[in-house]
Amino acid sequence: MKTLILSTITASAISLCMVTSAHAVDCSRFEDRSAFFTSIGLTDSASFWDEVATECAASDWSSSDRKTVRDNIRTLTTENAYERPDRETVRDAAEAAGVEVRDARHGKRKKGSRSKRSD
């Protein structure tokens, strides 16, 4: 009986930890974004994401849900009159800086990029 109770408590604790960590916001991803924009010379974008990272850490966004974090970023975007650079600008800046840009779709194929089999 004790084993059953302990295993139930342990399973509940593990489930709670998994749910909590699944929604945690890692502020370092904003620092990474700032570093990327710095590396390709887009200083306005780098400064904005650096400010987002600072605010994330200062306001403990890691304990907030995703919607709240998105709302906080939107607020900072409005307050700073930040305009996200378009893909072509980022691609051109990265190419000029010799930095490889990863596909934003994270592994999804672009339309028409399927390999055709010749059977």
Side-chain angles (χ1 to χ4, degrees), residues 37-105:
F37 283 119
T38 298
S39 73
I40 64 172
L42 296 179
T43 56
D44 289 342
S45 294
S47 296
F48 172 75
W49 288 106
D50 187 48
E51 185 173 338
V52 171
T54 301
E55 184 63 28
C56 178
S59 299
D60 191 26
W61 289 3
S62 61
S63 63
S64 302
D65 62 30
R66 289 178 154 211
K67 182 184 180 322
T68 301
V69 172
R70 280 193 305 265
D71 289 345
N72 291 340
I73 292 172
R74 278 191 199 107
T75 299
L76 287 172
T77 301
T78 303
E79 289 173 357
N80 293 298
Y82 173 69
E83 290 187 34
R84 179 178 164 182
D86 61 25
R87 286 184 184 172
E88 190 169 308
T89 300
V90 172
R91 206 171 316 141
D92 292 346
E95 186 176 306
V99 175
E100 185 178 339
V101 178
R102 201 175 71 193
D103 185 18
R105 299 180 196 193

